[in-house]
Amino acid sequence: MASFHSDCLVMGTGIAGLSFALKAARFGQVHIIAKNLACDTNTNLAQGGIAAAMGEDDRLELHVEDTLKSGCGLCHEDAVRIVVDEGPRMIEELEEMGVSFTMRQDRPDRPEMGREGGHSRRRIVHAKDMTGQAVQKVLAEKALEHPSIRVYEFCLALDLITEPGKDGAMRAVGAWGLDRVTGEVNAFFAKTVVLATGGSGKVYLYTTNPDGATGDGLAMGWRAGAEAANMEFVQFHPTCLFHPKRTNFLISEAVRGEGGKLVSREGLSIMRNHPDGDLACRDVVALAIDAEMKRTGAPCVFLDITSKDPEFIRNRFPKIYDTCLSLGLDITREPIPVVPAAHYQCGGLLVDTWSRTSLPGLYAVGEVACTGLHGANRLASNSLLEALVMADRAARAAREEIAGVPEHAGPESAHWPAATLGRAPSEAVLITHSWEEIRRFMWNYVGLVRSDHRLRMAQARLRLVKAEIEEFFRNFEVDADLVEVRNIAAVADLIIRSAMERRESRGLHYSLDWPDRDDEHFRKDTVLVNPLPSVLLSQAERS
Ligand code: SIN
């Protein structure tokens, strides 16, 4: 086993990880580990865009107000103001780096502003319906060619390495990474460690997320002792394509922003009774669709944009148009069958306004983190924005921090404690079963509509599956499936426990037993603290 040393170790190559890395590379050596190819990220799939108050009729204050309203009383106003205020500068930086956003036809020097639910103005800077891809490509190219950045692709982070710091408190000093090509586990030591691993949509049976969204960073941070917050707030996107051949394809909210209407099988407007209609916030729209499907027994509802000019649709939504056409659906002529699906984790590792977790030396940026920006329901297109702003702030904080941290005195080679027990599993299929079981009961019992009884059933099932997974983990050789299912189980546990603590309904957490919002008792974050951080698996054993 080899060990590698750097100033900053980054896990994840989406917008958060790469933009942090490019900034940190101005003052130090950066190592990035990516479990697949560097471009295989959730960012790459993001369609809608980046919210920034840059339109002529817009103001920062309006963006702040919309974000606070969407967050249903739980946003941290300091975080909201920081992220919103720094947004326009982040867009300019991306443009300077070479990202091509869609520009206005009448003012080709200014980005065209898209509209999405919950925004009182047109505010979404976008690259047609492929914004994430446009950003990912530029950032990845720059990172891969940067002399101070080394990217280790196909390297799956297993657990953080923690050690007592100068003051005796535990500190993150690196991570164990499984080389998925050679099967070796290597140690990556660094003065600061940054989790930018994205979200955990794969906890649920139906999701818009790619296969890699297995909550790895959140689970690792939690196991190592960092606090987690607001994990009950899982955002279900109202409009995931309903098609047997493409179960995770998103139909961007921008389709509704440009006039798409949600309708029942009979063509009746689903959002007809809401003052904001089809552009209400996501929590409201997703619940309305769920209620309609339960009432009628229909497997989906429909998103109809056929009233718009076909040329406009093809030009504004080329990715959605082409993908649907390849499945035999012409969206300029037919309504799109859609269902809600798990989309975004609003909670995560609790961080301050400099992206620092409660574990010294450990930062979390992007979906893995809970900054307080999203509160109980994220406003559309605030996530790429948050990742950019918080990565920038993390880089500034890390620059100061590493000046006072000595080079890790770790050995040239290190030994991963858990690996000593490894032997090949005789029935790997059991891992697949555990994975399917968790995703199904999370969908059935901890989805859009919850109840105390359902949460208890989910917890009882999870307890059994978790015990099996831990046994596998301790007795058999690690591989990506086992590591990911272990992480999924850890995240599911945090979601269930947080949902049980919140005995009210607010934003994305809706309980049949506690249908009202209760500001007196629950206008606060749900913070979970790990009483027993797993020191055994996180301490580097010197060989
Ligand atoms: C979308 O395009 O609807 C997704 C944007 C987001 O999740 O913010």
Side-chain angles (χ1 to χ4, degrees):
M1 291 182 197
S3 73
F4 305 99
H5 295 256
S6 64
D7 293 304
C8 302
L9 171 66
V10 182
M11 280 160 267
T13 48
I15 189 169
L18 293 177
S19 50
F20 172 88
L22 287 165
K23 289 184 173 168
R26 294 178 190 157
F27 57 82
Q29 280 293 324
V30 181
H31 285 172
I32 311 183
I33 58 183
K35 68 175 171 179
N36 295 310
L37 282 170
C39 281
D40 197 356
T41 65
N42 218 350
T43 297
N44 207 29
L45 299 183
Q47 296 178 359
I50 307 173
M54 296 171 79
E56 276 151 8
D57 63 345
D58 206 357
R59 283 183 291 120
L60 296 173
E61 198 54 35
L62 292 175
H63 189 179
V64 168
E65 271 172 28
D66 292 344
T67 303
L68 294 175
K69 186 173 161 207
S70 179
C72 303
L74 282 200
C75 298
H76 299 188
E77 194 166 335
D78 55 348
V80 175
R81 291 194 179 277
I82 287 169
V83 172
V84 165
D85 289 358
E86 296 189 18
R89 181 169 72 83
M90 293 295 127
I91 299 292
E92 281 159 23
E93 274 188 9
L94 287 178
E95 285 178 319
E96 279 158 21
M97 289 169 87
V99 177
S100 302
F101 293 113
T102 303
M103 304 308 268
R104 273 167 58 168
Q105 288 196 334
D106 58 333
R107 289 281 310 270
D109 59 325
R110 304 194 67 140
E112 180 185 276
M113 294 290 157
R115 182 141 197 205
E116 290 183 1
H119 289 276
S120 56
R121 294 288 185 278
R122 285 192 163 267
R123 180 180 291 146
I124 317 298
V125 179
H126 58 277
K128 300 200 175 206
D129 60 354
M130 292 169 282
T131 312
Q133 196 178 315
V135 175
Q136 177 85 43
K137 185 168 179 296
V138 169
L139 296 181
E141 275 168 12
K142 295 216 176 298
L144 288 166
E145 72 192 15
H146 200 294
S148 299
I149 298 179
R150 177 140 185 218
V151 184
Y152 297 83
E153 292 179 315
F154 298 106
C155 178
L156 176 65
L158 299 172
D159 261 311
L160 298 179
I161 305 174
T162 55
E163 286 183 357
K166 274 190 279 188
D167 58 359
M170 293 306 266
R171 178 181 172 83
V173 296
W176 299 106
L178 170 70
D179 183 324
R180 297 178 64 185
V181 179
T182 64
E184 273 189 10
V185 177
N186 297 316
F188 292 82
F189 293 104
K191 294 179 182 174
T192 55
V193 178
V194 181
L195 293 169
T197 45
S200 55
K202 294 294 281 189
V203 171
Y204 287 91
L205 192 56
Y206 301 111
T207 174
T208 61
N209 290 183
D211 286 347
T214 50
D216 304 338
L218 177 66
M220 285 189 290
W222 169 256
R223 284 195 290 268
E227 290 171 2
N230 292 355
M231 285 301 297
E232 66 274 37
F233 298 115
V234 177
Q235 186 167 67
F236 289 79
H237 197 292
T239 58
C240 178
L241 179 68
F242 179 70
H243 194 284
K245 290 199 182 135
R246 276 305 291 271
T247 48
N248 68 345
F249 185 68
L250 179 71
I251 305 295
S252 175
E253 188 150 325
V255 173
R256 275 179 288 134
E258 297 300 345
K261 301 269 173 248
L262 283 164
V263 291
S264 66
R265 207 169 26 190
E266 295 78 28
L268 195 63
S269 162
I270 286 169
M271 296 307 296
R272 62 189 178 281
N273 293 327
H274 196 278
D276 295 327
D278 288 280
L279 288 179
C281 284
R282 280 190 190 162
D283 51 343
V284 174
V285 180
L287 272 181
I289 295 175
D290 185 67
E292 173 71 15
M293 285 165 54
K294 284 188 174 135
R295 191 182 65 76
T296 61
C300 66
V301 297
F302 296 89
L303 179 56
D304 190 350
I305 182 123
T306 56
S307 62
K308 298 294 277 192
D309 174 38
E311 197 45 43
F312 168 80
I313 297 173
R314 282 191 284 269
N315 185 45
R316 175 67 179 84
F317 302 112
K319 175 98 180 169
I320 297 174
Y321 174 78
D322 287 344
T323 305
C324 289
L325 200 62
S326 73
L327 298 167
L329 180 73
D330 181 349
I331 67 167
T332 65
R333 292 148 52 103
E334 303 159 80
I336 313 166
V338 290
V339 282
H343 181 62
Y344 191 88
Q345 164 195 300
C346 292
L349 295 176
L350 188 60
V351 293
D352 65 11
T353 53
W354 294 97
S355 303
R356 292 180 290 225
T357 69
S358 61
L359 179 67
L362 183 68
Y363 294 69
V365 185
E367 194 170 344
V368 64
C370 178
T371 61
L373 171 72
H374 309 311
N377 179 39
R378 178 178 67 94
L379 185 63
S381 288
N382 263 358
S383 48
L384 296 183
L385 172 68
E386 180 193 50
L388 289 166
V389 173
M390 296 309 292
D392 181 70
R393 293 174 73 81
R396 287 193 265 156
R399 177 182 200 142
E400 271 188 30
E401 183 166 3
I402 66 171
V405 179
E407 183 81 29
H408 188 271
E412 275 314 299
S413 68
H415 176 64
W416 187 48
T420 48
L421 302 168
R423 62 191 154 89
S426 49
E427 282 198 284
V429 69
L430 296 178
I431 298 169
T432 318
H433 289 169
S434 301
W435 182 292
E436 284 167 3
E437 195 174 341
I438 295 173
R439 296 184 70 202
R440 191 168 290 281
F441 70 64
M442 287 301 287
W443 183 260
N444 288 335
Y445 302 145
V446 201
L448 274 157
V449 178
R450 301 162 179 178
S451 70
D452 289 353
H453 180 62
R454 286 180 194 203
L455 292 175
R456 277 196 300 273
M457 293 209 295
Q459 193 170 51
R461 282 164 172 72
L462 183 64
R463 204 168 281 141
L464 297 175
V465 184
K466 253 184 115 189
E468 281 167 20
I469 293 169
E470 279 308 318
E471 200 186 316
F472 258 92
F473 192 76
R474 291 185 188 281
N475 292 314
F476 295 108
E477 213 168 61
V478 284
D479 70 359
D481 287 342
L482 181 52
V483 171
E484 287 182 341
V485 79
R486 181 175 182 241
N487 291 338
I488 284 290
V491 174
D493 188 32
L494 293 176
I495 296 174
I496 296 169
R497 284 168 50 192
S498 305
M500 285 177 141
E501 286 204 9
R502 186 167 291 282
R503 291 191 297 277
E504 64 156 356
S505 289
R506 181 189 298 267
L508 299 161
H509 174 73
Y510 180 71
S511 166
L512 293 170
D513 295 306
W514 310 94
D516 299 321
R517 176 166 154 172
D518 176 358
D519 275 347
E520 194 188 329
H521 300 103
F522 291 104
R523 191 165 181 176
K524 58 181 185 190
D525 293 332
T526 309
V527 179
L528 298 181
V529 180
N530 186 349
L532 273 180
S534 57
V535 174
L536 173 70
L537 289 182
S538 58
Q539 259 184 341
E541 237 180 46
R542 307 294 166 80
S543 56

